[in-house]
Amino acid sequence: MCCVIISAEFGNHDLERHTAEYLKDFALFPKHLISDDNLESLTEAVILQHAALAGLSQGTAEEYYILAAQQLDGYGQETFEAKVCMYVFLVPPHMG
């Protein structure tokens, strides 16, 4: 999905502009997937995939992104924290 995000955001791949150094500040990956050791190699892989999408319009890339997002587990779900209060009502024996 990262290469589609970049295509939607920047259009066609530009070898001189879209480098790992240029893209390092964009939040392309979930935090649990990246470390100092693998960020550059992940970004390079995305750059290669982005280059392979040459000719894909930004609008079409946006559509592909939406279609891919709709397939993700949890798409469309809203989550929120809630406090559950449980009340116990005691009925005296003579009333029951």
Side-chain angles (χ1 to χ4, degrees):
M1 279 183 64
C2 294
C3 61
V4 176
I5 292 170
I6 293 173
S7 292
E9 185 73 25
F10 303 119
N12 279 326
H13 178 71
D14 180 343
L15 184 62
E16 293 180 17
R17 181 176 175 212
H18 301 134
T19 63
E21 181 66 27
Y22 178 78
L23 297 173
K24 75 176 182 172
D25 294 328
F26 290 94
L28 295 173
F29 311 103
K31 290 181 182 180
H32 71 276
L33 289 181
I34 58 173
S35 67
D36 292 337
D37 299 335
N38 69 354
L39 180 59
E40 188 169 346
S41 62
L42 287 172
T43 305
E44 290 290 343
V46 169
I47 290 169
L48 290 174
Q49 292 174 353
H50 177 221
L53 296 177
L56 184 68
S57 73
Q58 286 179 281
T60 302
E62 289 173 6
E63 289 178 33
Y64 285 171
Y65 175 79
I66 292 168
L67 291 172
Q70 288 174 337
Q71 303 304 313
L72 293 175
D73 190 35
Y75 173 80
Q77 292 179 349
E78 292 185 39
T79 59
F80 54 92
E81 289 188 35
K83 184 176 180 180
V84 177
C85 296
M86 308 244 342
Y87 296 98
V88 178
F89 295 99
L90 299 175
V91 178
H94 67 280
M95 295 184 79

